[in-house]
Amino acid sequence: MKNFSRKGANAQRKTQLLQSRFASSFAPLRLCARNILFVAIVLIASGVFIAPVLSSSPFYDLVILNGRVIDPESRTDAIRNLGISNGVIKTISTGKLSGRTVIDARDLVVSPGFIDLHQHGQDEENYRFKAMDGVTTALELEVGTGDVDAWYAQREQKSLINYGVSAGHLAARMAAMHEPITFLPTGDAARRPATDAEIEVMKQRLEDGLERGAVAVGFGIQYTPNASRWEILEMFRVAARYGASCHVHMRHAGGKEPGSSIQALEEVISAAAITGAPLHVVHIHSTGGPATPKLLQMIGEAKSRKLDVTTECYPYIAGMTDIKSAIFDEGWQEVFNIDYKDLQWAATGERLTKETFEKYRKTGGMVAVFSMTEEIVAAAIKSPLTMIASDGILERGKGHPRTAGTYSRVLGIYVRDKGTLTLMDALTRMTLMPALRLERRVPAMKNKGRIRVGADADLTIFDPRSITDKSTFQEPAQYSEGIRFVVVNGAMIVKEGRLESNVYPGRAVRAPFRPKTN
Ligand SMILES: [Zn+2]
């Protein structure tokens, strides 16, 4: 099977040649209407099809032929051809299409590109792994940033895939407490309650970020355990004024009371109810552990009462975070119901002991936390409430396998091998649901996550029989297999399973903002 060919382009050139020959042979007759009518009658009478002579069919930048097009919005699951020009889907048809570049997608699924609402790694290294896992839009919404303009400026014209960021409460807190802004706080901002004046500074920082087009507001409450409930409410109030969703890593994990994940979910659902801010709970299963089904039930109930609450998960039994963070303060074993042996040091792959834990706790670094079971992961993935989001970050090839493998792993293991959910359901959680989550604040998201005429040509084309994640906790920097073509804003970034080089079609996903006057 040839997946990529210029055959279509050649055929089109021949058609055009033929048309111009026809046109020139009729040149002497072109003057009067009677003659045209005469020619038409003669041609029709002699069985010659007249349409190609008088009008040429459109010629697209890119056509994708014979693919199994799956669009969760229209629930389409059928063999279709797509015509793409200027980065936009122009036609979806069963008829013949021609274009400058042709992808033969026979036996492949053509899906809207995957939208990852939770991707921390936002550089070239990470984007390559995301692209090879089918992700066309990767957003850093949990931790976010303290400087929205600078964040977008760093990626402009240099990005393989689409990118976007939230205004982060963590960054606002570090700034308010005059700490250098790092990924996660480890000093005062991680540990002490804020004064009223500091809360005012945080509100102002979030407002500034939202004014500059931040997509959402991000929270890592477990990393700031002494942030008061009032402080969190004040941040939700700011988000509500801007119609921005709050992407929250909740205050507590596990099931032990007081301080359970159930209590933590009560906090943020009430914050959403009190303020009107939309709520998105990140990695429900790694926070909830065995309580995950109860948390999902609570979210379903809140939704049935018309609260705007959504959630997400990734398909792994371990999370990962900085060993220096407040998550590993006194009592973590009881919270997660795990011990040192359940922690794996990302840099070396070694499991920890009391001694190595204490050593690394001083230096800091990423550690995998094996706190979940396959049943918990399956319960989260199966729930119709859950989107797929990776929580990924790789640094020089080290990190969690979810960065590179999340989407292929869901499609390979949970759809094909285990049948936990259907292909349509899986793709809905990877495309349409994340787009819907953001489109109130970012109207441009109405043109993502769909295969529709007028939608952005962000597309992922994969082989459902062979799609597989290859990244592991030992070797996280492994490209997934089975993603055959990836298109971002009409440009091919993965071709026949390989990354294209020197292409940067990724664009900013950003809420509308006023251009700076100075
Ligand atoms: Zn988190």
Side-chain angles (χ1 to χ4, degrees), residues 12 57-67 69 79-105 110 450-459 461 487 489-491:
Q12 175 68 18
S57 66
F59 188 67
Y60 298 98
D61 295 346
L62 169 66
V63 300
I64 300 167
L65 303 179
N66 308 311
V69 170
I79 306 298
R80 292 284 183 274
N81 301 324
L82 303 183
I84 291 155
S85 284
N86 302 319
V88 170
I89 299 171
K90 298 288 187 188
T91 189
I92 303 166
S93 125
T94 51
K96 203 164 164 288
L97 301 179
S98 45
R100 195 174 308 123
T101 304
V102 178
I103 293 174
D104 181 356
V110 180
R450 286 100 163 159
I451 296 183
R452 184 200 344 100
V453 171
D456 297 341
D458 293 344
L459 298 161
I461 302 172
V487 175
N489 296 307

Side-chain angles (χ1 to χ4, degrees), residues 347-360:
T348 58
E350 72 190 278
R351 291 297 179 117
L352 298 190
T353 61
K354 188 170 189 301
E355 290 67 42
T356 51
F357 175 85
E358 279 157 12
K359 183 176 101 186
Y360 292 136

